[in-house]
Amino acid sequence: MIPHISSRPRRTLVLAATLGAALAFGAPAALAGTAPVSPSGSPASAPAAAAPKAAAPTSQSATWVAGTRSYLVITAPGDSTAVRNAVAANGGTVFANYDAIGVIVAHSASGTFAATMRGVSGVQQVGATRTSDVPADAYNPALPANPAQATTPTGEPVRADMTQIKADQAWAVTTGSASVKVGILDTGVDDQHQDLAPNFNAADSASCAYGKADTRAGAWRDVDTHGTHVAGTVAAAKNGKGVIGVAPGVKISSVRIAEPNSTLFYAENTVCGFVWAGDHGFKVTNNSYYTDPWQFNCPDNADQAAIIEGVKRAQEYAEGKGSLQVAAAGNENYDLAHKTTDSASPNDSTPVTRTITNACMDIPTELPGVVTVAANGTGVTKASFSNFGQGVIDVAAPGSNVYSTAPGGGYSTKSGTSMATPHVVGVAALIASANPGITPAQIRDKLATQANDIACPSDSRCTGTTANNGFFGEGQVDALKAVGSTPPPGKYFENLGDFAIGDNTTVESPITVSGVTGNAPATLKVGVNIVHTYIGDLKVDLVAPDGTVYTVHNRAGGSADNINTVYTVNASAEVANGTWKLRVNDNAGGDTGKIDSWNLTF
């Protein structure tokens, strides 16, 4: 089976030449789908043989049998002993558990395991994370190959993508701080590459393949080429060799979340990666993938609902620990704000075409708090392959024909939103370097405010304004502007908590604002993410601290699903500091939902 292009690691379209060879491109074929890339080392030299298998640490002894599947069991955060005991009593084994977020990774070969566990006291959700068996390798994982290294020649000319975002000018301000850690959550990274070794942080690297951390030396290495390429764009060293990354002074860690052979990124792997990022102090993570096997996870499916919840909790945990997640928007030239069908899922067995709505999510890129990145072509054009969507895309960056590192000391050219994302991650790392103590919310805000606006082209699919539209979001990132000043304290505030919206009820979600001088602006930005069918039932108000009500949505939209919009409110008569509320009133029966998140930008 030739999988859909984005069902690989990978938001990647074009693989090209190795060091010293002419670049060769195959965009039309790649856009239609590409066969898996062999998990090789350097194209310039044969990789060393894979190391003998050695068991990674396990939380519970288990023996693989045919039919073994993986499940996320969602419970309340805290001690999960009772639920873990229930897993064992109902035909399963606990492969890993993350009590801080209430997520257990369970394995079972029983076809009734999920249904049985959903009836256990204390269990909130259970979902299968794949439609194929867990590989036997999960119980005795092989270490990835450590490829022999080609000699990297001297000379590192500044590339067009770096000048496009003014990274070369930003280096005069800062090349990045070695105290800033960036996590590459991907297919792994070749830490021996001469352009990556100076900035590689082995102490905080691991494999999260199969859903639990494997800290053996080398477990983090690349089982493809994708992660090594991404790593080079973020932080290839400024050492007179090869290429220079956007932030060549920061430290990068590899958290391999792709499984070998399939190079798929299952939900338990992503959960493990985000928790690891939070626990190991990663300021930013690069996520150039979607969570397999579903291109879109739909909350009306019990399995996919558990995947959404588990990955969302892990992302919130990482952000709560100070880590910002940046993710690729995808390469299907698809409008993420108007979802209709998914023909690529499940990508680990037999894909089927299904009807979907905007309630279905591409994760992690559409999770609250994650920065969603679209790809530019040359200059300020939209890359032909890049996904888009008003209210979904946050920023854009170069993603076409990006030249970067390849395993084994080589270099290659790739295209995709995978390649755009590390440019944004590098800029975010420079922001963090120039502003010690900056929060994820402030980095998000600064990425937006410093981006250069790009107007919609003559294309009816592009909606919105020059300042914020469906093709480019807030615009193309600008590394020089991003490191030019410290963001004003207290400018951006958000509430990521869920607030259920029942039939014919009113619910309020609060945000407490502090540290802002004077009144709110005449252009107060109110970002609203409401998951609800038939939004024609809803009235949505912003309530100021003094009780003044500003209506932003009044039963418009008819039978459309969900509100994911940034409203502009003239709140200049209101004192900024105090508790603001988003009030949602459901005015009819038959349709329910939740406030998923909302934010204020002053």
Side-chain angles (χ1 to χ4, degrees), residues 1 57 83 92 144 171 189 217 256 271 331 333 358 423 433 523 546:
M1 176 184 70
V83 175
W171 298 331
V189 173
R256 178 168 64 86
V271 167
N331 298 329
N333 194 24
N358 282 351
H423 288 88
S433 298
T523 56
D546 67 357

Side-chain angles (χ1 to χ4, degrees), residues 392-451:
V392 179
I393 303 301
D394 291 310
V395 290
S400 295
N401 300 334
V402 175
Y403 187 69
S404 187
T405 46
Y411 297 85
S412 67
T413 297
K414 299 180 188 285
S415 293
T417 54
S418 271
M419 284 58 257
T421 303
H423 288 88
V424 177
V425 168
V427 171
L430 291 179
I431 291 172
S433 298
N435 301 278
I438 193 170
T439 67
Q442 289 174 324
I443 298 175
R444 274 198 304 271
D445 181 45
K446 196 162 176 61
L447 283 171
T449 58
Q450 297 304 304

Side-chain angles (χ1 to χ4, degrees), residues 314-323 325 368-370 440-441 444 494 496:
Q315 193 290 125
E316 290 173 347
Y317 177 84
E319 181 164 345
K321 293 277 191 174
S323 178
Q325 278 57 251
V370 175
R444 274 198 304 271
E494 63 184 354
L496 298 175

Side-chain angles (χ1 to χ4, degrees), residues 196-256:
L196 300 177
N199 292 333
F200 192 80
N201 173 19
D204 293 307
S205 295
S207 169
C208 272
Y210 310 117
K212 69 180 168 191
D214 178 354
T215 59
R216 293 174 298 160
W220 56 72
R221 291 194 177 119
D222 209 332
V223 296
D224 187 77
T225 62
H226 190 266
T228 298
H229 192 280
V230 164
T233 300
V234 174
K238 199 170 187 291
N239 57 0
K241 302 175 182 179
V243 297
I244 311 172
V246 177
V250 305
K251 293 298 183 183
I252 51 174
S253 297
S254 171
V255 182
R256 178 168 64 86

Side-chain angles (χ1 to χ4, degrees), residues 147-165:
Q149 298 293 315
T151 300
T152 303
T154 57
E156 50 182 4
V158 176
R159 307 186 311 281
D161 54 317
M162 295 298 158
T163 59
Q164 189 169 325
I165 63 169

Side-chain angles (χ1 to χ4, degrees), residues 9-10 181-189 204-208 220 226-228 230-231 234 252-258 265 269-278 282 284-290 311 314-315 318 323-328 364 418 421 425:
R10 136 159 149 202
K181 299 179 185 178
V182 176
I184 309 299
L185 277 59
D186 213 288
T187 63
V189 173
D204 293 307
S205 295
S207 169
C208 272
W220 56 72
H226 190 266
T228 298
V230 164
V234 174
I252 51 174
S253 297
S254 171
V255 182
R256 178 168 64 86
I257 60 173
F265 296 65
N269 309 0
T270 307
V271 167
C272 173
F274 284 163
V275 172
W276 181 274
F282 295 171
V284 193
T285 69
N286 190 103
N287 301 272
S288 291
Y289 61 92
Y290 68 70
V311 177
Q315 193 290 125
S323 178
L324 175 69
Q325 278 57 251
V326 181
S418 271
T421 303
V425 168

